[in-house]
Amino acid sequence: MAEITYICKRTVVSTKPTQPGKCHSFSVLDHLMEKNHIRIVYYCKSWGEKEAGEITVSLRESLSEMLTHFPKVTGRLIRNEKGNWMIKCNDAGVRMVEARAKGSVEDWLKSVDREKELKLVYWEAMIHKPYFWSTFYVQITEFEEGGVAIGLSCFHLLADPICATMFLKAWADKTLGQKMVSPPFFHPLPPRRPINKTSNHKPYTDLINHYKFSIENSTPFLDANDTHTTITLSFSDHMVQACMDMVQPTSAPNKPNPSSPFEALAGLLWICISKVKGLNGLVNMSLCLDQRKILGLDKGFFGNCMVYNKVHSNGLEEHNFSQATKVIGEALEKMDNEGIMDLIEWLEHNDSQSHPLMNNCDLICASLETVEPYSVDFVGGFEPIRVSYYVEPVIGIGQVLIFRAPSYDGPLGRVVMVTLPKDEIVKLCEDELILHLSPRILMGVARNYA
Amino acid sequence: MSSSPTNKADGVQIHQTRILPDFLQSVNLKYVKLGYHYLVSHLLTLCLVPLMTMFIVQASQLNPNDIHQLWLQLQYNLVSVVIFSTIVVFGSTVYIMTRPRSIYLVDYSCYRPPSHLQAPFHRFMEHSKLTGDFDESSLEFQRKILERSGIGEETYVPEAMHFIPPRPSMAKAREEAEQVMFGALDNLFANTNVKAKDIGILVVNCSLFNPTPSLSAMIVNKYKLRGNVKSFNLGGMGCSAGVIAIDLAKDMLQLHRNTYAVVVSTENITQNWYFGNKKSMLIPNCLFRVGGAAVLLSNKASEKQRAKYKLVHVVRSHCGADDKAFRCVYQEQDDVGKTGVSLSKDLMAIAGGALKTNITTMGPLVLPISEQLLFFSTLVAKKLFNAKKKPYIPDFKLAFDHFCIHAGGRAVIDELEKNLQLLPVHVEASRMTLHRFGNTSSSSIWYELAYTEAKGRIRKRNRVWQIAFGSGFKCNSAVWEALRNVKPSANSPWEDCIHKYPVQIVA
């Protein structure tokens, strides 16, 4: 099997130094994600006949150029007067690890699992002196027989998976010599629009209650690597269509399908995971969605903008697919501008020092619908072979990430990455609903050779 | 006594307590000195004037008869006339042939490393911390030195030090040397259009890195220099080796006519970073940075047209006979076995002493006669009358227009500014080079000259004094004279940032 040799670790800096003395503080949504980190892996085929190491050099140079636009990424963490984190934009740079792997990318992908994949994306936990700790890590692994794996890991305090993908997109654009499509901008979250302030305004308590519950009930942190594992399922266009059709109650065949691919797949997985856990009802689930559009922010907004909401499973019939999906749709509707504004205001008032692990209590189902990970093109004309997302650490019940599939899987195609305890994952793959839809298993469970 | 405003209820009262006559006195003295200086410099011309008038008066009194007499006398003494003219012609030929050839500096080029090699303070401290070799007090010491060093945030550190952990190796050291030397040489050859086969002499100096084959061999290999090129590689001679290399090239150009000499001055940092905790050895980490310069010299008369400078003097002083001076900058292993260059606490005093030795030799060569007479007379007065006056320090500002003091560190520049009584504008080139490029060792005097050129200050017949200090302890000087109003060459290292300078260096 392909072995990875680490060549070196270095610091990559931007080509133009930033103005000294600039500082960047974080929003309340950022602070909640303090205990998490994100890892993304991109697999690309190699371009042209290049000597070993040349691809790494060209990627490193384009990264240097691109970092000029991301002063927040190259800065370092310091504490402000209130004791919260903030970034000092001192141009310290990001860490880059360079590695080589035997074999080709295609061979690797045939038998990859979570443990192996995580070796392609380097991450370092915060060190004793955070002032010297890099918040972003990039790993470039060149496969000897062709292909490149680009791994990005970052501290969730600074970015969510959406803007991390935009970061990679900007890097890819720079590598190909193109201009950035959505240049990043670093702003605090927008304040409430004044026209909406009415005198008899009832705050939406749903979101607030959910956050309150999560913060209070967050259990202490445990290392999840040994207990959980991740699989990747790829649902092509017609599979998702079939899934959405299953949601539609048979009594009204002519009504247009109200549910979206995310709702359908989230509902499907909710039911399957609940079955796998052996529960009578449905497991507690929270949805996590990108709110940039709802808050009126540009796609380039760099920071955390994903909000969680609980899906209420009380009073649902056991494992009824269409009902489950309907409830999901309702929860999604609750995440509107008003509700989020109320949530942000509440969080700002209740600014506590200890920031919990947000994805701790429930099954988290996150939608990364607003980005197209497969449109990030490092090579020039070729989509990446595969993209993987991890939001770590996952403890407790589990995590589901749903994002768009490559174009050959159609516009409705989706990739689902499920993280659950090891034994439950095996049962999930054998679940009848899932087998009925028969998605492609891109990354399965590690096979233990006895 | 000082003047201070006193705030009273009825208004501000400023007490005028300065003694004005003191100031006036010094102004008068200055003009007297200037007048004396002009008088002595033009003494010969002033003496010639009465002689010339006498001669003209006499010649006008001659009548044609006297001239005819003169001509007959010469005709009868043909033999003596012929012998006399032969002696004159022969004598002048010998004189012309044995005069030292003029050495012209055609052009020079300083290397500017790529921006990803920059080491701003934070990155320097971060990488130093992450190596794990330095304890807290060493890190704090390095931070303090950095802050007070006069070094800016855009200086360059070799690639090997940008890794975590740093990866110094011979291969990386060779890479650094190649990048710097070839970068400077490529630029020099592009600017001067000189062909490789025309280069007859090559001198390279690099103190701390001496591989086999030598750096000069690397250059011969890369640029395909001709088989009979006279190549020299000076190793271990410290930061003053740049002037030593120029001196060697100058001597070689006296022996070999009609040729070019290339001098490459550089230093190598990759394998010379100190990873221990002895304070005296940590200072070079904070000050030394990547840089190098390539200089093209020639003795061809045709080069006078486009050459920038003419070499006037090179004066070398070696204080190595004194033990303290010898051990002042010493490369050794610390108690744990890690190699580093240790700087002694007497460095400034020894540098001052070496400078005095150098200018004592240099003074008579370059100072105007007025200053020399003053110095001589005050010396005599002191000896004879045992006056308790301070020794007269000759005013070198009268001899030189520009000063390029090796940017060894802020303390060195401060010390020289005081000792030579220079104005801030004279040491500006040194301070700004230290800020922008750090201590690039033997090539810093070339960066400073490039700065002065970029500022457009070099006018025709301006004299430039390059002073370099180095381990040994040595103090070497080179004096150049500008042949025209010099404009900076293409791709000067200051091209993109000269408009930002001079910057105010925070204490």
Side-chain angles (χ1 to χ4, degrees):
Chain A
M1 205 39 252
E3 261 178 35
I4 303 182
T5 25
Y6 290 99
I7 298 176
C8 68
K9 180 164 75 160
R10 58 170 100 206
T11 308
V12 178
V13 297
S14 55
T15 43
K16 290 197 199 69
T18 52
Q19 263 183 342
K22 272 173 88 170
C23 281
H24 193 101
S25 47
F26 295 111
S27 71
V28 280
L29 290 180
D30 290 322
H31 283 304
L32 285 168
M33 304 309 294
E34 238 177 62
K35 301 268 189 317
N36 299 70
H37 64 273
I38 301 171
R39 295 197 194 188
I40 305 177
V41 185
Y42 263 75
Y43 295 92
C44 311
K45 58 188 282 181
S46 53
W47 48 106
E49 280 303 314
K50 294 227 171 150
E51 276 187 31
E54 260 188 58
I55 299 179
T56 309
V57 170
S58 63
L59 282 173
R60 194 167 68 225
E61 282 170 6
S62 57
L63 181 64
S64 269
E65 278 181 40
M66 184 271 271
L67 283 174
T68 332
H69 301 276
F70 291 86
K72 196 173 158 190
V73 170
T74 51
R76 289 289 179 263
L77 288 171
I78 53 173
R79 294 258 183 212
N80 66 7
E81 317 85 47
K82 284 189 253 168
N84 288 330
W85 288 120
M86 68 177 192
I87 285 273
K88 187 167 175 194
C89 298
N90 59 8
D91 219 11
V94 304
R95 299 272 186 262
M96 175 182 278
V97 172
E98 295 170 24
R100 287 282 148 78
K102 290 203 180 61
S104 73
V105 170
E106 288 82 9
D107 291 336
W108 169 272
L109 287 174
K110 280 189 205 137
S111 56
V112 70
D113 60 30
R114 177 191 156 101
E115 204 185 304
K116 288 210 196 86
E117 189 156 77
L118 287 179
K119 286 201 194 128
L120 291 176
V121 52
Y122 182 78
W123 171 249
E124 240 176 52
M126 196 187 283
I127 59 175
H128 172 62
K129 265 210 170 153
Y131 194 43
F132 295 134
W133 178 69
S134 172
T135 48
F136 271 70
Y137 296 84
V138 173
Q139 180 173 332
I140 301 181
T141 312
E142 282 194 32
F143 286 82
E144 279 170 16
E145 284 169 39
V148 169
I150 299 171
L152 172 75
S153 64
C154 67
F155 195 27
H156 213 311
L157 177 68
L158 276 84
D160 56 16
I162 308 290
C163 58
T165 314
M166 298 306 288
F167 178 85
L168 284 165
K169 179 141 183 62
W171 184 11
D173 289 341
K174 244 329 189 268
T175 313
L176 294 176
Q178 294 163 4
K179 285 179 77 97
M180 272 194 286
V181 169
S182 297
F185 70 94
F186 307 93
H187 279 217
L189 289 173
R192 188 188 284 274
R193 278 177 282 202
I195 25 169
N196 289 341
K197 273 205 173 95
T198 49
S199 49
N200 53 342
H201 172 75
K202 237 184 5 172
Y204 275 42
T205 51
D206 236 29
L207 286 169
I208 295 174
N209 285 341
H210 170 65
Y211 272 75
K212 209 165 157 186
F213 182 79
S214 297
I215 292 169
E216 284 162 14
N217 291 317
S218 175
T219 57
F221 175 65
L222 294 161
D223 191 358
N225 270 331
D226 292 331
T227 52
H228 285 59
T229 190
T230 311
I231 58 164
T232 312
L233 303 168
S234 170
F235 290 81
S236 67
D237 200 272
H238 66 267
M239 293 172 204
V240 175
Q241 187 65 54
C243 186
M244 280 157 59
D245 290 338
M246 275 164 60
V247 173
Q248 184 84 306
T250 45
S251 51
N254 291 331
K255 245 182 17 180
N257 203 323
S259 60
S260 64
F262 171 69
E263 287 166 21
L265 287 170
L268 169 75
L269 281 155
W270 192 12
I271 291 183
C272 296
I273 291 174
S274 307
K275 271 198 260 172
V276 148
K277 287 195 186 276
L279 296 168
N280 279 335
L282 291 169
V283 75
N284 288 332
M285 184 164 88
S286 300
L287 300 173
C288 177
L289 272 97
D290 176 28
Q291 304 302 328
R292 281 172 177 78
K293 208 160 162 195
I294 292 176
L295 288 177
L297 293 167
D298 182 77
K299 245 169 88 164
F301 176 78
F302 198 95
N304 277 286
C305 203
M306 294 184 79
V307 172
Y308 295 81
N309 194 11
K310 197 181 182 80
V311 187
H312 294 283
S313 59
N314 311 326
L316 276 183
E317 272 173 36
E318 169 188 318
H319 305 158
N320 183 320
F321 192 11
S322 46
Q323 273 197 348
T325 315
K326 196 164 133 231
V327 170
I328 288 174
E330 281 167 19
L332 286 177
E333 269 172 44
K334 296 257 171 63
M335 292 175 153
D336 67 346
N337 194 299
E338 285 302 312
I340 295 174
M341 283 301 167
D342 288 332
L343 171 69
I344 292 172
E345 277 178 11
W346 180 83
L347 285 169
E348 277 167 5
H349 283 133
N350 292 9
D351 193 20
S352 63
Q353 275 293 324
S354 64
H355 297 116
L357 209 50
M358 265 313 291
N359 52 356
N360 200 344
C361 315
D362 308 333
L363 171 71
I364 303 286
C365 186
S367 156
L368 306 176
E369 295 266 310
T370 49
V371 278
E372 287 172 38
Y374 282 87
S375 72
V376 174
D377 178 12
F378 279 94
V379 185
F382 291 98
E383 274 187 342
I385 304 176
R386 194 180 301 172
V387 179
S388 300
Y389 284 87
Y390 294 87
V391 178
E392 301 288 307
V394 179
I395 40 183
I397 298 181
Q399 182 177 280
V400 174
L401 294 170
I402 302 177
F403 50 93
R404 288 176 192 260
S407 51
Y408 57 74
D409 269 341
L412 290 174
R414 294 290 183 272
V415 176
V416 178
M417 291 189 72
V418 187
T419 307
L420 289 172
K422 285 185 182 155
D423 47 344
E424 291 173 19
I425 282 270
V426 176
K427 285 191 224 159
L428 185 71
C429 297
E430 292 157 12
D431 182 274
E432 52 174 25
L433 262 180
I434 296 206
L435 287 176
H436 175 69
L437 290 170
S438 62
R440 267 187 312 142
I441 298 187
L442 296 181
M443 179 169 83
V445 187
R447 277 170 244 136
N448 294 327
Y449 299 98
Chain B
M1 291 210 248
S2 60
S3 61
S4 54
T6 52
N7 278 318
K8 294 206 177 126
D10 49 347
V12 176
Q13 282 183 316
I14 299 174
H15 296 282
Q16 192 87 294
T17 51
R18 279 243 169 84
I19 304 170
L20 285 174
D22 224 352
F23 179 61
L24 278 174
Q25 249 184 19
S26 62
V27 166
N28 284 340
L29 202 63
K30 180 175 144 191
Y31 284 124
V32 166
K33 250 194 88 173
L34 267 173
Y36 162 70
H37 167 67
Y38 280 127
L39 179 70
V40 176
S41 314
H42 298 112
L43 200 62
L44 242 74
T45 331
L46 288 171
C47 288
L48 265 172
V49 167
L51 272 172
M52 283 299 294
T53 43
M54 257 182 59
F55 183 69
I56 289 166
V57 165
Q58 275 284 17
S60 58
Q61 283 178 350
L62 280 175
N63 47 23
N65 210 14
D66 289 327
I67 298 170
H68 188 62
Q69 287 283 353
L70 215 59
W71 173 241
L72 283 174
Q73 272 193 316
L74 279 174
Q75 270 191 319
Y76 287 128
N77 291 317
L78 193 64
V79 173
S80 48
V81 166
V82 166
I83 293 171
F84 179 68
S85 24
T86 317
I87 291 170
V88 165
V89 167
F90 182 66
S92 36
T93 315
V94 167
Y95 175 68
I96 291 170
M97 289 299 282
T98 53
R99 267 169 67 84
R101 287 181 235 278
S102 295
I103 309 293
Y104 301 113
L105 194 164
V106 180
D107 199 358
Y108 65 95
S109 169
C110 300
Y111 178 64
R112 185 178 65 203
S115 50
H116 69 264
L117 292 180
Q118 279 176 352
F121 285 14
H122 178 95
R123 225 174 290 152
F124 180 93
M125 291 314 300
E126 186 169 294
H127 279 240
S128 297
K129 164 93 186 154
L130 291 174
T131 59
D133 287 316
F134 300 115
D135 61 31
E136 278 306 316
S137 74
S138 300
L139 284 170
E140 185 57 25
F141 180 74
Q142 286 186 82
R143 195 185 59 78
K144 279 217 260 296
I145 296 278
L146 262 184
E147 273 174 15
R148 295 195 217 128
S149 60
I151 289 188
E153 304 257 6
E154 294 177 281
T155 60
Y156 303 93
V157 146
E159 199 174 330
M161 311 313 296
H162 285 271
F163 288 99
I164 296 168
R167 305 172 134 223
S169 66
M170 195 168 191
K172 281 283 174 197
R174 275 226 170 96
E175 217 178 273
E176 180 194 342
E178 280 176 11
Q179 272 179 2
V180 174
M181 293 196 306
F182 298 164
L185 282 167
D186 285 342
N187 203 24
L188 180 67
F189 294 155
N191 283 349
T192 55
N193 283 326
V194 68
K195 293 197 206 19
K197 63 174 175 58
D198 291 335
I199 298 172
I201 301 159
L202 172 68
V203 185
V204 178
N205 75 276
C206 176
S207 188
L208 293 168
F209 180 54
N210 296 295
T212 302
S214 65
L215 297 175
S216 56
M218 268 161 67
I219 296 176
V220 172
N221 170 262
K222 160 92 178 176
Y223 293 98
K224 311 285 179 254
L225 301 187
R226 64 188 202 219
N228 61 352
V229 66
K230 298 263 182 292
S231 66
F232 299 91
N233 198 87
L234 303 173
M237 300 192 90
C239 300
S240 58
V243 180
I244 299 177
I246 296 281
D247 190 39
L248 179 60
K250 177 194 86 173
D251 288 343
M252 294 306 291
L253 282 170
Q254 302 296 345
L255 289 175
H256 302 276
R257 357 171 146 188
N258 223 24
T259 185
Y260 289 97
V262 171
V263 174
V264 179
S265 294
T266 182
E267 189 52 88
N268 200 285
I269 300 177
T270 299
Q271 286 186 304
N272 297 299
W273 206 265
Y274 175 60
F275 291 106
N277 289 295
K278 192 167 168 192
K279 301 266 186 320
S280 58
M281 295 193 188
L282 284 169
I283 303 173
N285 284 6
C286 305
L287 298 179
F288 279 87
R289 296 288 183 264
V290 173
V295 182
L296 182 68
L297 301 172
S298 178
N299 51 13
K300 292 192 186 195
S302 56
E303 285 295 348
K304 191 174 178 184
Q305 299 285 8
R306 66 166 176 163
K308 286 183 173 180
Y309 304 92
K310 191 174 80 164
L311 181 60
V312 180
H313 299 292
V314 173
V315 176
R316 292 163 58 175
S317 317
H318 206 307
C319 301
D322 175 50
D323 282 338
K324 238 174 57 170
F326 175 64
R327 288 204 72 98
C328 177
V329 179
Y330 208 78
Q331 186 186 35
E332 59 189 346
Q333 286 176 297
D334 66 7
D335 307 319
V336 207
K338 300 213 172 141
T339 313
V341 176
S342 107
L343 305 175
S344 101
K345 288 196 169 62
D346 320 310
L347 184 61
M348 284 301 112
I350 291 168
L355 177 71
K356 282 199 179 61
T357 316
N358 193 278
I359 63 180
T360 312
T361 320
M362 174 101 102
L365 292 174
V366 295
L367 284 171
I369 303 195
S370 54
E371 287 297 306
Q372 296 193 41
L373 283 173
L374 265 176
F375 179 66
F376 185 67
S377 52
T378 49
L379 197 67
V380 164
K382 200 164 167 243
K383 278 260 152 53
L384 286 180
F385 305 117
N386 209 14
K388 284 201 184 82
K389 282 170 71 175
K390 269 187 6 202
Y392 177 71
I393 299 168
D395 191 359
F396 280 90
K397 298 195 285 292
L398 289 173
F400 300 108
D401 305 285
H402 307 285
F403 297 78
C404 294
I405 303 168
H406 164 60
R410 203 159 158 195
V412 170
I413 303 175
D414 289 342
E415 181 76 13
L416 258 78
E417 188 182 2
K418 200 179 68 178
N419 275 349
L420 295 174
Q421 294 168 345
L422 298 176
L423 301 169
V425 68
H426 293 130
V427 291
E428 185 185 307
S430 308
R431 288 201 198 280
M432 296 305 119
T433 298
L434 183 64
H435 182 267
R436 173 68 177 87
F437 292 100
N439 179 350
T440 58
S441 184
S442 42
S443 49
S444 65
I445 48 179
W446 297 108
Y447 284 95
E448 292 164 23
L449 189 58
Y451 177 88
T452 318
E453 282 182 8
K455 281 284 185 193
R457 293 180 185 163
I458 311 259
R459 310 232 77 82
K460 190 170 178 180
R461 280 192 275 273
N462 275 174
R463 289 193 150 202
V464 181
W465 185 16
Q466 291 181 320
I467 315 174
F469 295 95
S471 60
F473 197 82
K474 304 190 276 287
C475 177
N476 298 328
S477 306
V479 180
W480 303 88
E481 184 178 307
L483 294 172
R484 49 194 167 81
N485 293 348
V486 180
K487 281 198 293 262
S489 306
N491 251 343
S492 149
W494 297 96
E495 214 169 45
D496 61 338
C497 59
I498 191 69
H499 55 276
K500 289 195 277 185
Y501 285 90
V503 292
Q504 194 63 19
I505 298 183
V506 189

